[in-house]
Amino acid sequence: MAITLEQFAADCHAALKNNPGTPGREKVCALAKQALADPSFTAKYIPDGTPPRKVLYEDAELGFTILAHGHDGPKGSKPHDHGPSWAIYGQVAGETIMTAWDCVARPTEGVPGKAKYNHDYVMKPGDAYLYDIGVLHSPERKASTRLMRIEGLNMDRVKRLPYEAVD
């Protein structure tokens, strides 16, 4: 049976409510992999033509947000975390080269944080990864991609401080 957004969101809510902290986030990551494996779910909620950021669902009680992302052509970002939040990236189409970074220094107001390269890996369709609170990463896309992302908080309302790469 096809997974609906409503059922996926309810399952995520239950996982986070019943398993506070990282264990609940890991359960949500496993649920994301199941949703990504359902072609009817991805075709309905994250189709070709998806905009760069589309909120699909925002949980009124817990605050987590399920998003669809479509990127046309190459795109990359600097090292970053999600401030006080966590994020799960799920690859729908295309490939994302994800770089993991070690935190050398956290940012402060007016002073960027420092991040040291750790390693790269490639996210392929069906892959999902949890980036817990404070975990530094940076995605790079060499071609068009589509992703599902789940944020612990809607990042539209969260101020984040920048990082810069150091040797």
Side-chain angles (χ1 to χ4, degrees):
M1 185 165 132
I3 299 171
T4 66
L5 179 62
E6 295 75 20
Q7 185 60 54
F8 177 66
D11 290 346
C12 291
H13 180 98
L16 293 167
K17 190 156 179 116
N18 297 331
N19 304 280
T22 302
R25 297 168 197 149
E26 289 170 343
K27 288 185 181 295
V28 170
C29 190
L31 291 167
K33 288 179 183 178
Q34 291 174 1
L36 294 168
D38 179 350
S40 63
F41 180 90
T42 57
K44 182 172 184 178
Y45 302 110
I46 315 161
D48 285 332
T50 294
R53 181 178 173 91
K54 179 180 179 185
V55 174
L56 300 174
Y57 173 85
E58 187 168 354
D59 192 83
E61 180 185 356
L62 301 178
F64 72 89
T65 306
I66 302 169
L67 303 112
H69 296 284
H71 299 287
D72 292 328
K75 181 174 174 45
S77 72
K78 293 182 177 185
H80 66 276
D81 61 16
H82 291 263
S85 185
W86 50 270
I88 295 168
Y89 288 65
Q91 194 76 29
V92 174
E95 293 185 351
T96 299
I97 302 163
M98 191 65 78
T99 300
W101 299 86
D102 295 325
C103 182
V104 176
R106 293 284 174 198
T108 58
E109 198 65 46
V111 179
K114 309 285 187 231
K116 184 175 181 181
Y117 172 84
N118 186 305
H119 69 280
D120 292 328
Y121 53 96
V122 177
M123 292 181 60
K124 296 179 183 289
D127 290 344
Y129 290 89
L130 166 64
Y131 302 94
D132 220 336
I133 296 169
V135 173
L136 299 178
H137 56 284
S138 61
E140 179 184 2
R141 300 158 188 107
K142 303 246 186 228
S144 297
T145 60
R146 283 180 285 132
L147 298 114
M148 174 174 64
R149 192 167 72 179
I150 305 160
E151 301 169 339
L153 301 167
N154 185 330
M155 296 308 296
D156 284 340
R157 296 187 287 277
V158 175
K159 179 179 180 183
R160 293 190 289 174
L161 300 174
Y163 284 84
E164 57 187 28
V166 297
D167 291 330

